[in-house]
Amino acid sequence: MTKKKKSYMFTLPLAACLMVVLVIGAFIYENNFAVETIVGIDINPSVEISLSKSTKVLDITALNKDADELLSAVELNNGDLNDVIDELVEAFSEEGYLEDEAGTVLVTVVNDDDETASTIRQEIVSGIGSALTDNNLSANVLNQTVKITDDVRKFANENYISMGKASLILNMIAKDSSLSSKELAKMSIAEI
């Protein structure tokens, strides 16, 4: 009887400690390693940035050939969102994507929480504005927050474009059915 009682006295605190470690581990994972927000940045190169809850950059994905070439030419470090934005604007500039009429950028933020999406959108637009100023550039910065539907996701995947550009195109088609979605998908943001 005493052995059983001693066993419970040892097991119960151990289980409680294990539970605390699991809760803390889940919290750390959710804040630092789980994707909560997707940010699309489109000019003609289209990239998507995956962010954690704490807005740490987890991944940067090229969505088309131009973006793949651009990202292979620069070293972007995952981590601080503002640093990644600065590096991307500089890379876009060096490759000539922010010259003359091509100087239109579409920023799209996808997050289930509207307030969070709006806050991140404002931070990114501000960061792009600062990076443009630092590099003596001028560009139109369009921005949107969207909820992704299955139709948007399918159109984006079929045309190798970001979900933001796909959402913009599908909204345009809904308002003017004479437009060609396939032709719009091939155009740069400035041309659209």
Side-chain angles (χ1 to χ4, degrees), residues 49-50 56-60 76-81 84 87:
I49 303 169
S50 300
K56 176 185 173 199
V57 176
L58 300 173
D59 190 33
I60 305 163
L76 295 175
N77 298 316
N78 294 356
D80 184 63
L81 178 59
V84 168
E87 292 169 10

Side-chain angles (χ1 to χ4, degrees), residues 43-181:
I43 297 175
N44 176 27
S46 293
V47 298
E48 281 186 346
I49 303 169
S50 300
L51 301 175
S52 69
K53 189 173 189 172
S54 62
T55 66
K56 176 185 173 199
V57 176
L58 300 173
D59 190 33
I60 305 163
T61 306
L63 299 177
N64 57 17
K65 184 180 176 187
D66 290 336
D68 194 37
E69 290 172 4
L70 179 86
L71 291 181
S72 67
V74 296
E75 280 190 42
L76 295 175
N77 298 316
N78 294 356
D80 184 63
L81 178 59
N82 290 324
D83 290 345
V84 168
I85 296 298
D86 288 345
E87 292 169 10
L88 275 174
V89 168
E90 191 173 314
F92 287 144
S93 172
E94 287 173 2
E95 296 298 319
Y97 291 108
L98 292 174
E99 293 177 359
D100 305 323
E101 73 279 349
T104 302
V105 180
L106 173 65
V107 174
T108 304
V109 177
V110 179
N111 187 301
D112 291 335
D113 180 61
D114 292 337
E115 189 176 321
T116 300
S118 180
T119 301
I120 292 172
R121 179 184 51 81
Q122 290 170 358
E123 180 182 342
I124 291 170
V125 169
S126 175
I128 289 174
S130 295
L132 289 169
T133 300
D134 292 347
N135 288 288
N136 296 317
L137 299 168
S138 176
N140 296 315
V141 181
L142 310 174
N143 59 83
Q144 61 184 353
T145 58
V146 298
K147 302 286 185 200
I148 299 304
T149 64
D150 290 337
D151 290 338
V152 169
R153 190 179 313 279
K154 181 181 176 189
F155 183 72
N157 290 337
E158 288 173 352
N159 292 283
Y160 303 100
I161 59 175
S162 72
M163 291 184 281
K165 187 174 180 181
S167 180
L168 177 69
I169 291 169
L170 292 177
N171 285 335
M172 291 173 66
I173 299 295
K175 292 177 182 170
D176 183 355
S177 61
S178 68
L179 296 171
S180 166
S181 60

